[in-house]
């Protein structure tokens, strides 16, 4: 589903954020991406969602070489990818329903379909009862689940998460990871950047480790 072929990324200041990364993530996988702060985890995720382009090498998603996608093709490419951030990036003046509906509104879905899909997504993350709540009235774990519902509401084939448990205590972090596992079990390819080694090493999934932009052993 996701392939990197000798991918390097050098930022303008001359710093190599990624060096010769080759890896492959299969359709049915949930993979953790770990490494110290500055190791290149976010950069790797940004290349997959075309928020950035590699300096050298090839990135493929679902067999498609991303260098063949021009700027006009980016919105369509992103529609197959759901993204979850550490700080939720919720709109605090909109309720839970409206936050989750946002990607569908932007994509131009009609009202009925939006209602149906938003409630299906809220149901999956256990927040159906809170659809009218404002984000500030929710706990940190609930806010993160709103972020996950928003990421999956368009039924993406790929789910990317950047430190999704960064602000949560261990129990809530484990709950959030089980949600990702549930989406993986229904066929979503999941890639989670996390430096919570205690948590991710307890879960039975492949771990890819970056150090100074390079892959440590273990990735195919
Ligand atoms: P991580 O997510 O593992 O903390 P990042 O991918 O954010 O690592 O960063 C990798 C390296 O690239 C770091 O040294 C960081 O300072 C640098 N970097 C990240 N984004 C940019 C940018 N937009 N411009 C310049 N350097 C950047
Ligand atoms: P519906 O067909 O009513 O939308 P589904 O159970 O098929 O109900 O999906 C509901 C929700 O499941 C979606 O809105 C989305 O939140 C989440 N989802 C995301 N990706 C997938 C997937 N590949 N398969 C099933 N559900 C997914």
């Amino acid at each position: 589903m996701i392939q990197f072929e000798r991918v390097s990324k050098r930022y303008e200041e001359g710093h190599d954020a990624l060096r010769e990364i080759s890896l492959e993530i299969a359709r049915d996988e949930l993979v953790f991406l770990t490494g110290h702060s500055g190791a290149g985890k976010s950069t790797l995720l940004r290349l997959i969602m075309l928020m950035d382009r590699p300096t050298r090498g090839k990135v493929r998603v679902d067999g498609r070489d991303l260098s063949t996608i021009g700027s006009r093709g980016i919105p369509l490419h992103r529609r197959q990818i759901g993204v979850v951030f550490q700080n939720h990036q919720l709109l605090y003046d909109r309720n839970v329903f409206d936050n989750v509906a946002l990607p569908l509104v932007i994509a131009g879905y009609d009202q009925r379909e939006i209602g149906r899909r938003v409630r299906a997504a809220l149901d999956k993350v256990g927040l159906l009862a809170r659809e009218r709540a404002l984000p500030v009235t929710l706990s940190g774990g609930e806010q993160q689940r709103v972020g996950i519902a928003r990421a999956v509401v368009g039924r993406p084939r790929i789910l990317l998460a950047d430190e999704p448990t960064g602000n949560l205590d261990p129990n809530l972090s484990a709950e959030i990871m089980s949600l990702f596992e549930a989406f993986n079990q229904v066929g979503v390819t999941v890639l989670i950047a996390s430096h919570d080694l205690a948590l991710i090493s307890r879960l039975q999934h492949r771990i890819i480790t970056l150090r100074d932009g390079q892959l440590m052993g273990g990735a195919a």
Side-chain angles (χ1 to χ4, degrees), residues 44-101:
L44 193 148
L45 297 180
R46 291 164 58 85
L47 295 180
I48 297 170
M49 53 181 137
L50 279 180
M51 286 173 72
D52 235 322
R53 303 274 187 177
T55 313
R56 279 195 313 278
K58 247 189 215 347
V59 181
R60 285 199 181 81
V61 171
D62 204 9
R64 175 139 195 219
D65 175 355
L66 297 193
S67 70
T68 65
I69 300 178
S71 52
R72 275 177 301 147
I74 290 177
L76 198 59
H77 170 68
R78 289 207 187 129
R79 241 179 252 179
Q80 61 182 332
I81 304 175
V83 185
V84 177
F85 302 93
Q86 171 175 355
N87 54 4
H88 328 303
Q89 306 207 348
L90 302 179
L91 300 173
Y92 285 90
D93 59 342
R94 313 264 183 102
N95 67 27
V96 166
F97 182 99
D98 291 341
N99 267 279
V100 175

Side-chain angles (χ1 to χ4, degrees), residues 116-117 120-121 124 149 152-153 155-156 183 186-188:
R116 207 176 67 77
R117 288 213 189 191
K124 297 221 158 147
V152 299
V153 76
R155 293 166 156 212
F183 286 111
V186 296
V188 183

Side-chain angles (χ1 to χ4, degrees), residues 126-168:
L127 281 179
L128 205 45
R130 307 305 305 274
E131 62 175 273
R132 296 292 151 201
L134 284 173
V136 281
T137 67
L138 302 178
S139 69
E142 287 172 328
Q143 290 186 30
Q144 189 55 289
R145 286 191 275 146
V146 176
I148 293 170
R150 184 185 51 192
V152 299
V153 76
R155 293 166 156 212
R157 312 177 67 187
I158 298 174
L159 199 47
L160 303 179
D162 200 352
E163 301 289 352
T165 63
N167 295 320
L168 302 177

Side-chain angles (χ1 to χ4, degrees), residues 9 11 22 25 28 37 62 71 114 140 182 185 189 206 216:
K9 174 66 185 176
Y11 285 109
S22 294
I25 298 171
D28 63 353
S37 169
D62 204 9
S71 52
I114 290 175
Q185 271 151 24
T189 309
R206 178 151 66 108
M216 307 299 288

Side-chain angles (χ1 to χ4, degrees), residues 11 13 15 17 36-43:
Y11 285 109
E13 302 77 63
H15 185 87
H36 61 85
S37 169
K41 303 182 293 296
S42 306
T43 299

